[in-house]
Amino acid sequence: MRVLSWSLVALSLGSASSAVVAEAGDASPKRLGDVVVVDQHDAQAERRTAAVQKIVISETEVERYGDATVGDVLRRLPGMSFTGPAGVTKDIRIRGLDKGYTQFLINGEPVPAAKKERQIQVDRLPADMIERIEIIRSPGALYDAGGIGGTVNIVLKSRADGLTRLRAAAGRNGDLDVGDVVAQWSRRLGNLDILLAASHTVGAEDIEEDKRSFGADGALKSAESKARPVKKDETLLAPRLVWHLGEDKLTLEPFASNGSERKDEPTTSFGANGAVSKRTQKDEDKSDDVHRLAGRYDGRAAWGEWFVKAGRQQAREQKDAETREFDAAGALKKTILEDEELRERGVYAGAGLSFAASAAHRVSAGIEWRDGDYRNRKAKTENGADKSEAKDRFDIDEQRQIAYLQDEWQLAAAHGLTAGVRVERIERDAAGAEGFARASDFVGTMPSLHYRWALRDDLNLRASVAKTVKLPKFDELNPFLKLDKGVLKGGNPELDPEQALGYELGLERFFAAGRGVVGLNFYLREVDDFIQKETRLEGAALVERPFNVGEARFWGAELDWRVPLLRRGAHELSLSGNHTEMRGEVRIDGVAGRSEVKDMPPRMTNLGLDWLHRPSRWSAGFSVNYQPRFTSDGVNSDGVREVKRREAATLLDLYVGKVISPLAELRLIAKNVLAIDKEERTLKYNAGGAFSGDEWKRERSAPMVMVTLESRF
């Protein structure tokens, strides 16, 4: 791996591409604002000519099923699995990898999440504000290298097309209300493009959970029944202003979102004899907000193009919870109050240029500076006594300096090679409670090489190799150590990022005048410096904390298709879908054998059918997401083996639409029609290999039905 990495660096040092977010495969570079993707014809054209392999989801596709959140859209895409309550897409996992291995960008820029895993929750971003979604399987040098699994670039609506869009939706998720209101207004006033966009979304989760624990002898030890209704809302403002100054342009993109979430969780616990042992009532209020102001100036000169950019952003999450515990007779025994605040802030600035070095080469280069911090504060009381823990108070400050160089080399009429290198330096200061503090420094070189062979105008062969990284979770960097049963336990501020060399090999066939595509892709990720907890002797003390000691391999195949079955006469019929095979293994230093990747399903399948009757403008369709029953077998850092079996799950979504006037469309949408259950069983074995017990858990969900009315004028 090391020899190949440095070979790529050598290849990259004469190269570059367009200094933009959207990388293109033609001779002239495309800036983000230059790429317009409205329907699937535009999406397939962008996918076919892109310098790097990616899947593009158009605005039309995003709106087809009336999805309320980005998560609902993403779960139908190739290679996507997800975690969260039954029927809810909360955290996306590209290729079955854990949170943090998927990189999310908004308009091409990383965004703060105020999450320890550094990954935004996709159930909080409204789908109505999206112009397109790009799934970048392997990044070029122009993208942040933080996506070992892949990168999701969410492009917000940006076109000044002179239209006003209004949408209102109302419905029910089980016994809870859901809906949204969306307004967008865009105009060109002289040399100024204005887009004003706002939305308010009301969401809900109507979940019930049952849990049972069994001993090594198979006898029931305890049981638990819990209702988990969640009410949430999100308000988002995303205006965009673009001044056209001759061939130059200045873009300002303010962004603000504010959300709240209310949980009301009554729990009844039972003993082995089936009698009630206690009751618990937990009430939790959570608020989150993201504020961002980004600016960019794009200029053109006789020699090529250049840009400068800067931005400031912040995310905050505030959580207040009260838990009251009652005994079997109903007497209050314990009251726990928790107050937690997570905050992440950042500023960035950068500049770049792009020019044609020759008829066959387009070179780009750029530099970036990013400064950010993360703050974690949590307080806890139990029956009035302070039970706060020092490990829940820590600060992480990171500064990153980035330089990149890339070249799009047109080897021949049908052959394109995009080589690049990205160099990043990360300076970090970690401060924990009680004076624990540590500084660290990391320098990484991330080369990339992407090849596209247009076998025909409608057939691409693609291959790529790229180095990517995954930064440690924030809490893994906490320097505080707590003595627990003779062992100091905590984080490790000297952790390096996990580093992966990724390989892709794919074939894309386009047809039906650019409205259809079939793609097949194989991938492999070889990860070094994999982070795992380990107990070591440091001086005279035993210390348990995460170290860069493991290795991992992830591999699989992805098949996606969109096939127009009928496009003649009064009817249109299209079949879409994808199938992904996923495999992975982890080797933990000092533990015999290899472990499977936790919660990685072996395969995921999506199938959709869409129908349109042109004369009457009626439309209808369905989408099915299927995850088979699977078992994962892994060994924890303490040597405890866990065998988890998750039952099969099928998500079914339906829609029916009618254009009722030239200006308005009415839709009926049903999601999670089958009201799926999420059922799993975990068997546990101690370090000696003896069976120690198991746990069974099932979550029950409710379907969601909603009516939407949308107007454009």
Side-chain angles (χ1 to χ4, degrees):
M1 277 180 65
R2 189 170 299 167
V3 173
L4 181 54
S5 297
W6 284 110
S7 299
L8 284 172
V9 173
L11 278 171
S12 303
L13 284 176
S15 48
S17 130
S18 95
V20 294
V21 172
E23 300 177 72
D26 54 17
S28 60
K30 296 179 184 177
R31 297 174 293 196
L32 179 65
D34 298 332
V35 180
V36 178
V37 176
V38 178
D39 58 19
Q40 278 308 107
H41 180 273
D42 300 323
Q44 305 311 349
E46 174 67 12
R47 175 175 177 174
R48 181 175 60 84
T49 61
V52 300
Q53 188 177 174
K54 62 182 177 181
I55 294 174
V56 183
I57 309 302
S58 69
E59 181 180 353
T60 303
E61 288 297 294
V62 170
E63 295 175 347
R64 187 181 302 277
Y65 285 90
D67 294 316
T69 70
V70 172
D72 292 331
V73 180
L74 292 176
R75 66 174 168 81
R76 290 193 289 269
L77 303 185
M80 300 291 180
S81 62
F82 52 90
T83 57
V88 179
T89 308
K90 187 176 291 288
D91 298 299
I92 284 292
R93 300 159 57 107
I94 289 186
R95 294 164 170 172
L97 303 183
D98 199 3
K99 291 187 294 183
Y101 288 91
T102 301
Q103 175 176 241
F104 282 90
L105 310 175
I106 294 182
N107 291 347
E109 297 289 347
V111 292
K115 296 290 184 183
K116 297 173 184 177
E117 299 87 1
R118 303 179 186 250
Q119 180 171 313
I120 64 174
Q121 287 189 332
V122 294
D123 66 330
R124 306 312 299 267
L125 185 60
D128 299 284
M129 309 296 284
I130 296 171
E131 180 175 292
R132 71 179 185 276
I133 298 175
E134 300 174 338
I135 309 299
I136 302 160
R137 286 170 162 162
S138 181
L142 306 185
Y143 288 94
D144 193 286
I148 286 181
T151 297
V152 179
N153 183 28
I154 300 168
V155 181
L156 302 179
K157 292 186 186 295
S158 60
R159 299 192 316 278
D161 52 14
L163 292 178
T164 299
R165 297 174 174 84
L166 300 174
R167 165 182 152 129
R172 300 279 285 179
N173 185 336
D175 295 327
L176 305 176
D177 292 329
V178 295
D180 63 49
V181 178
V182 181
Q184 297 164 11
W185 180 88
S186 68
R187 295 293 187 273
R188 169 165 284 191
L189 306 176
N191 66 343
L192 175 62
D193 290 348
I194 303 176
L195 172 67
L196 304 178
S199 70
H200 180 73
T201 303
V202 176
E205 302 168 13
D206 196 355
I207 307 294
E208 295 181 349
E209 177 186 304
D210 292 316
K211 186 188 298 184
R212 295 186 179 92
S213 298
F214 301 87
D217 58 357
L220 178 67
K221 293 172 56 181
S222 63
E224 187 177 278
S225 180
K226 179 189 299 185
R228 291 170 44 194
V230 179
K231 299 177 182 179
K232 49 191 176 182
D233 64 80
E234 192 83 22
T235 301
L236 188 147
L237 300 174
R240 190 171 192 264
L241 306 174
V242 181
W243 285 268
H244 296 271
L245 309 171
E247 291 190 336
D248 298 355
K249 67 177 183 179
L250 172 64
T251 304
L252 289 180
E253 293 179 327
F255 177 93
S257 71
N258 181 269
S260 66
E261 184 175 284
R262 168 75 177 176
K263 294 182 180 180
D264 177 13
E265 296 184 356
T267 303
T268 303
S269 301
F270 304 88
N273 61 359
V276 174
S277 59
K278 68 176 181 179
R279 288 185 172 88
T280 303
Q281 175 65 46
K282 182 177 181 179
D283 299 309
E284 180 181 291
D285 290 307
K286 183 170 70 174
S287 64
D288 61 80
D289 57 70
V290 177
H291 298 94
R292 178 171 177 260
L293 177 61
R296 175 169 169 140
Y297 190 96
D298 289 275
R300 295 182 186 269
W303 51 265
E305 297 188 339
W306 58 275
F307 74 88
V308 292
K309 65 178 182 180
R312 182 179 182 86
Q313 47 196 10
Q314 173 178 297
R316 182 190 63 88
E317 179 179 288
Q318 178 72 45
K319 186 190 304 182
D320 297 304
E322 179 185 51
T323 304
R324 291 172 294 157
E325 185 179 308
F326 303 85
D327 64 17
L332 179 63
K333 306 298 291 183
K334 186 186 300 183
T335 300
I336 300 173
L337 300 178
E338 295 175 291
D339 181 1
E340 182 177 35
E341 181 181 24
L342 310 178
R343 191 189 70 201
E344 185 178 359
R345 297 186 299 187
V347 294
Y348 68 88
L353 53 83
S354 175
F355 61 93
S358 68
H361 290 271
R362 174 159 288 277
V363 176
S364 296
I367 56 173
E368 294 181 16
W369 169 83
R370 297 182 178 272
D371 185 81
D373 62 67
Y374 175 85
R375 302 289 182 260
N376 195 111
R377 298 290 184 272
K378 183 178 179 180
K380 179 180 178 180
T381 64
E382 184 177 315
N383 292 336
D386 188 4
K387 296 292 184 179
S388 303
E389 295 193 54
K391 68 180 181 63
D392 293 325
R393 301 189 302 274
F394 62 93
D395 302 334
I396 307 295
D397 294 283
E398 291 181 339
Q399 189 176 107
R400 301 167 65 186
Q401 297 97 38
I402 302 163
Y404 61 84
L405 179 67
Q406 186 169 294
D407 175 39
E408 290 184 52
W409 180 12
Q410 197 67 36
L411 297 168
H415 299 269
L417 188 67
T418 300
V421 62
R422 188 178 182 93
V423 180
E424 296 194 17
R425 180 183 182 184
I426 303 174
E427 297 176 285
R428 179 184 299 124
D429 291 304
E434 301 181 8
F436 285 84
R438 194 73 60 86
S440 62
D441 196 340
F442 170 82
V443 178
T445 302
M446 279 68 74
S448 60
L449 189 65
H450 299 265
Y451 171 67
R452 181 173 74 94
W453 179 9
L455 298 163
R456 301 195 307 256
D457 286 344
D458 59 356
L459 186 63
N460 278 344
L461 174 68
R462 292 184 179 272
S464 69
V465 57
K467 189 175 182 181
T468 52
V469 299
K470 173 188 173 293
L471 297 179
K473 300 176 184 179
F474 284 121
D475 58 339
E476 291 177 330
L477 298 168
N478 183 359
F480 179 77
L481 294 172
K482 178 184 177 181
L483 187 62
D484 182 12
K485 298 178 181 179
V487 179
L488 291 171
K489 296 182 178 181
N492 183 356
E494 296 183 352
L495 285 174
D496 286 335
E498 295 179 7
Q499 302 181 63
L501 200 57
Y503 306 87
E504 307 275 339
L505 178 63
L507 193 66
E508 302 167 328
R509 168 72 162 87
F510 301 89
F511 52 91
R515 298 184 184 276
V517 63
V518 175
L520 176 63
N521 184 63
F522 300 92
Y523 69 89
L524 169 66
R525 296 289 186 273
E526 295 183 333
V527 184
D528 287 334
D529 292 332
F530 195 76
I531 296 174
Q532 290 284 350
K533 282 188 178 180
E534 188 175 85
T535 301
R536 295 182 177 180
L537 187 64
E538 298 185 13
L542 280 176
V543 180
E544 179 190 283
R545 55 174 151 198
F547 292 93
N548 295 105
V549 294
E551 297 177 355
R553 295 178 74 245
F554 314 119
W555 68 96
E558 300 159 324
L559 175 66
D560 72 283
W561 63 87
R562 181 166 186 83
V563 182
L565 300 177
L566 180 65
R567 294 189 63 84
R568 295 181 180 179
H571 298 275
E572 287 187 19
L573 195 64
S574 297
L575 181 70
S576 61
N578 53 80
H579 178 81
T580 305
E581 293 285 331
M582 297 171 282
R583 303 292 186 272
E585 61 182 22
V586 176
R587 186 187 68 80
I588 304 173
D589 190 38
V591 177
R594 293 178 180 266
S595 298
E596 297 177 355
V597 178
K598 185 179 180 181
D599 293 333
M600 174 186 282
R603 60 191 58 87
M604 294 287 292
T605 303
N606 290 280
L607 182 65
L609 187 68
D610 302 296
W611 166 77
L612 171 66
H613 185 248
R614 290 194 190 95
S616 66
R617 305 304 293 173
W618 276 96
S619 62
F622 72 83
S623 174
V624 178
N625 174 283
Y626 176 72
Q627 176 182 284
R629 174 180 175 177
F630 70 95
T631 301
S632 60
D633 190 341
V635 180
N636 299 330
S637 60
D638 57 3
V640 174
R641 177 185 170 207
E642 289 189 355
V643 180
K644 180 182 289 187
R645 184 186 70 200
R646 180 169 293 177
E647 298 299 325
T650 303
L651 270 170
L652 173 63
D653 297 339
L654 306 171
Y655 76 89
V656 177
K658 175 70 169 74
V659 177
I660 56 179
S661 80
L663 302 178
E665 180 178 8
L666 188 67
R667 281 182 178 243
L668 175 64
I669 299 161
K671 293 184 178 295
N672 188 24
V673 174
L674 303 179
I676 68 166
D677 289 349
K678 180 181 177 181
E679 185 175 344
E680 60 186 34
R681 189 158 200 155
T682 303
L683 308 180
K684 296 184 179 181
Y685 300 82
N686 62 30
F691 177 64
S692 59
D694 72 304
E695 181 179 276
W696 172 88
K697 184 172 73 172
R698 182 180 66 186
E699 296 175 353
R700 297 186 299 276
S701 63
M704 186 273 285
V705 179
M706 188 161 61
V707 177
T708 70
L709 177 63
E710 182 172 353
S711 179
R712 303 188 183 201
F713 52 89

